[in-house]
Amino acid sequence: MLSAESDAEAPAAGVDPGDLEQAVWLRLLEQLQETGTAPERPAEWLRRAVRAEARRARRTHDRERPYRDEPVHEPGGAEPEHSLLVAEGRRTLRAAVTRTPGRCPKVLTAMLDPEDPTYREIAGELGISQGSLGPMRSRCLGCLRRMLAAEVPAPDRRGRVR
């Protein structure tokens, strides 16, 4: 219930649902330490506590400003670790694309172009008909998928990597 309430309130407060859950757990522990008893109606107390923590987080977020030299990290935004993982994923993908057979490296590189060229532009660049580009793209993506699947260890039944 705490997780569901936190997931519902967190976006409006501009905080991570996990942070909201943690704040409510701390509030419960503080209450237990002060009074020595658990709340009489836990579900009602939980809803009130989540909403109160969300309001507190919203007020805090509205008042806090980063230093000029400090990068801004918005909730749900790109954290440094996330940026590194995304960059590593891109490097792995680019390396796998270069190892694909035949015309696939050229086709996939054209498909990954940040300018997002049309099929007509890609076909003209590669010197092939526009109608054959779709099936070729499909074969190349299948080959790339198999290559990447072989590099990633498959999880077993309980989510552990073999």
Side-chain angles (χ1 to χ4, degrees):
M1 185 173 176
L2 174 59
S3 179
E5 289 288 330
S6 296
D7 287 343
E9 294 291 331
V15 296
D16 183 59
D19 292 342
L20 199 54
E21 284 182 45
Q22 197 171 35
V24 172
W25 278 115
L26 287 174
R27 184 179 278 223
L28 176 63
L29 291 173
E30 288 169 353
Q31 179 176 343
L32 289 173
Q33 187 176 15
E34 289 173 10
T35 63
T37 61
E40 286 183 30
R41 294 187 293 234
E44 186 178 318
W45 179 89
L46 183 85
R47 283 188 201 99
R48 282 195 326 267
V50 169
R51 289 187 183 117
E53 287 300 323
R55 281 192 304 273
R56 186 197 55 73
R58 192 173 20 253
R59 284 192 308 268
T60 303
H61 185 268
D62 290 344
R63 286 185 294 219
E64 289 180 343
R65 298 287 177 246
Y67 291 115
R68 275 183 234 152
D69 297 335
E70 186 178 331
V72 177
H73 297 293
E74 292 293 323
E79 295 294 326
E81 297 86 10
H82 179 71
S83 299
L84 290 173
L85 290 173
V86 168
E88 179 63 26
R90 286 187 183 136
R91 280 192 295 277
T92 302
L93 178 64
R94 294 285 181 184
V97 164
T98 60
R99 293 190 320 259
T100 54
R103 289 184 168 177
C104 289
K106 289 182 181 179
V107 171
L108 293 172
T109 300
M111 294 285 178
L112 291 171
D113 188 351
E115 294 178 11
D116 196 24
T118 64
Y119 266 38
R120 179 176 290 168
E121 293 168 343
I122 294 171
E125 180 183 322
L126 298 175
I128 59 176
S129 71
Q130 188 176 346
S132 65
L133 184 58
M136 184 183 294
R137 172 189 155 268
S138 180
R139 283 190 302 275
C140 292
L141 286 174
C143 181
L144 182 64
R145 187 178 305 115
R146 286 187 299 278
M147 288 173 66
L148 291 174
E151 292 178 9
V152 177
D156 69 5
R157 289 183 338 151
R158 297 191 181 184
R160 296 185 188 128
V161 174
R162 289 183 225 161

